[in-house]
């Protein structure tokens, strides 16, 4: 009946082409962690992106005029801004130090999720390497899930998460960017409450609650635990997509 | 090394004047759950509010002109809107079915957190009773914490949570409204990453990550498990306040 979140120790530094599913299962085996049906593996975006070769050297990026102008306005590196714009479909807010965008995958986040810390490139000045989000995080989650199922024989779920800032509140929280099997949204609309009233609307962002929980045990500045094993997730697996968690633009009062 | 979240079974329906700390410890004892130093009790707002007698009968509420006008605009009960306005310091957005406010405690939420489901009043028509948030949730958390420490002899933390909607994303997630001992924000600014770079800003909303995790195991339409016992929270206790998690108005780009 408990929900148990266990960081998987001993995940090595990940490089392009690595097979994350194999690496995760090996690390779990070395750590004596079992895998059972309905378990979930929550994976930090960073290692998925690295395995997919999403490192970019800023020295190779030529900023557009738009990027150059936005870079001045936001006091950022124009080459980084160029990548942010390429990875986004809309800039929602900008000010010195911050560019908040709708990522091309639909979610709202700072800097299109492009990461500068803990990135070590393949030559040149390390400070010039940045890491883009996976090309298609839902697809990444799906592929990792399928391989985990094949290798382990267990029907498991996968969530890929990142740390996102929020409107109104300080601090980042772990947030889903890709899902496989794990429901993003659980719809309790119409389920009667204790006294038999109809609940009018209760849609729970279960995938994001899971992401936040896993983030808590991943730590932040330590890449040693980018994978968390979860047992006891209370909702049934099904076909899922991150899209469940994205509020349609026309329903969003805070764009 | 695992984070373990266990719903506390057997919490009875709570009424005004009930001693939540005693009730929680009794329920834990009956369920064979131990309590240890550094454990956290996460408590749903609803039971704290009920214990504090925050039920209001709408039949006793006389709406102001402002409330009446806003009720027409949002298609809500004018008496409920009157309570929402009394509990808020600013209306941020309004449209049919939704009033998003800054609650007088500083956080942004729908309908000032006033709850209609699972509320059974002290007479009259049950549908007329609504439940306000605790008067001062930080203070409530602090009082419950102090009593838990006295009764159990263990230095434990307390978080009071509610389900909040979010900008940009579908679904509610468990969110802190009161804290005692548990840090809301964990500041990792300046902590070097794996390769020795300085992290420029990493403030983690650890209290909200905890709230989301606990919400996952509380369930939603079932008031049977409004308390979750947490073991393995990775950050140290200290003097805390919900204010840590509230973004100052002038720093908020999404008001």
């Amino acid at each position: 009946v408990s929900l148990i979140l266990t960081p998987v120790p001993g995940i090595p530094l990940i490089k392009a082409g690595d097979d994350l599913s194999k690496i995760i299962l090996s690390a779990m085996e070395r750590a004596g962690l079992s895998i059972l049906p309905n378990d979930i593996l929550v994976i930090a975006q960073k290692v998925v992106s690295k395995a997919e070769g999403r490192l970019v050297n800023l020295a190779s990026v030529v900023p557009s005029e738009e990027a150059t102008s936005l870079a001045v306005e936001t006091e950022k590196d124009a080459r980084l801004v160029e990548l942010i714009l390429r990875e986004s479909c809309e800039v929602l807010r900008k000010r010195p130090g911050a560019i908040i965008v709708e990522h091309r995958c639909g979610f709202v986040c700072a800097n299109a999720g492009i990461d500068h810390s803990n990135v070590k490139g393949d030559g040149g000045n390390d400070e010039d390497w940045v890491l883009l989000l996976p090309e298609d995080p839902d697809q990444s989650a799906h592929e990792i899930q399928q391989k985990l199922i094949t290798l382990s024989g267990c029907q498991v779920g996968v969530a890929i998460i990142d740390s996102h800032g929020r409107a109104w509140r300080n601090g980042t929280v772990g947030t889903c960017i890709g899902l496989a099997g794990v429901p993003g949204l659980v719809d309790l609309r119409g389920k009667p409450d204790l006294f038999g009233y109809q609940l009018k609307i209760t849609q729970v962002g279960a995938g994001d609650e899971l992401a936040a929980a896993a983030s808590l045990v991943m730590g932040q500045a330590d890449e040693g635990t980018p994978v968390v094993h979860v047992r006891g997730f209370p909702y049934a697996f099904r076909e899922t997509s991150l899209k469940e968690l994205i509020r349609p633009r026309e329903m969003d009062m805070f764009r």
Side-chain angles (χ1 to χ4, degrees), chain A:
Chain A
V1 70
S2 294
L3 178 72
I4 304 173
L5 300 110
T6 309
V8 176
I11 302 281
L13 286 181
I14 299 298
K15 49 189 192 311
D18 278 352
D19 182 333
L20 275 182
S21 305
K22 262 190 200 164
I23 288 170
I24 290 169
L25 290 176
S26 302
M28 286 184 64
E29 200 177 330
R30 283 195 307 276
L33 294 173
S34 66
I35 190 161
L36 291 175
N38 300 313
D39 285 356
I40 298 171
L41 277 306
V42 181
I43 308 175
Q45 156 271 320
K46 216 171 268 195
V47 293
V48 179
S49 297
K50 284 183 181 172
E52 294 182 3
R54 300 282 287 160
L55 275 172
V56 175
N57 192 323
L58 289 179
S60 72
V61 177
V62 181
S64 65
E65 259 183 60
E66 186 191 359
T68 305
S69 149
L70 183 54
V72 171
E73 200 177 341
T74 56
E75 298 171 9
K76 285 178 174 284
D77 186 314
R79 303 165 303 170
L80 176 63
V81 173
E82 172 64 26
L83 293 176
I84 293 171
L85 291 176
R86 285 185 203 166
E87 287 283 287
S88 308
C89 47
E90 189 189 346
V91 174
L92 298 190
R93 297 285 191 284
K94 51 193 173 178
R95 72 171 177 199
I99 302 178
I100 314 296
V101 304
E102 180 183 324
H103 189 273
R104 55 181 174 68
C105 293
F107 47 82
V108 172
C109 66
N111 304 324
I114 298 174
D115 207 334
H116 211 146
S117 66
N118 275 332
V119 170
K120 202 171 180 68
D122 294 319
N125 184 349
D126 277 347
E127 303 245 5
D128 275 351
W129 290 91
V130 297
L131 189 61
L132 310 189
L133 294 186
E135 189 73 48
D136 179 346
D138 262 347
Q139 179 62 24
S140 308
H142 187 75
E143 285 171 14
I144 295 168
Q145 182 204 29
Q146 291 310 309
K147 213 159 206 175
L148 285 171
I149 291 172
T150 303
L151 293 171
S152 73
C154 294
Q155 200 68 32
V156 296
V158 168
I160 300 175
I161 73 169
D162 200 0
S163 294
H164 281 186
R166 306 165 291 165
W168 320 320
R169 296 177 78 94
N170 289 326
T172 61
V173 294
T175 306
C176 282
I177 65 165
L179 285 168
V182 181
L185 209 57
V186 175
D187 196 336
L188 302 178
R189 279 184 295 193
K191 187 167 167 186
D193 70 19
L194 276 187
F195 300 108
Y197 298 138
Q198 293 292 305
L199 291 184
K200 282 174 195 152
I201 302 182
T202 306
Q203 287 187 297
V204 181
D208 281 335
E209 291 190 329
L210 172 74
S215 169
L216 205 48
V217 297
M218 272 183 189
Q220 294 293 323
D222 171 5
E223 211 178 2
T225 54
V227 179
V228 173
H229 170 262
V230 181
R231 185 161 293 165
F233 184 77
Y235 301 108
F237 289 176
R238 57 172 170 75
E239 284 285 307
T240 54
S241 158
L242 183 76
K243 286 182 183 62
E244 302 172 15
L245 283 165
I246 307 296
R247 179 164 291 160
R249 197 179 289 237
E250 65 278 11
M251 297 290 288
D252 195 337
M253 296 189 279
F254 292 94
R255 286 287 191 134

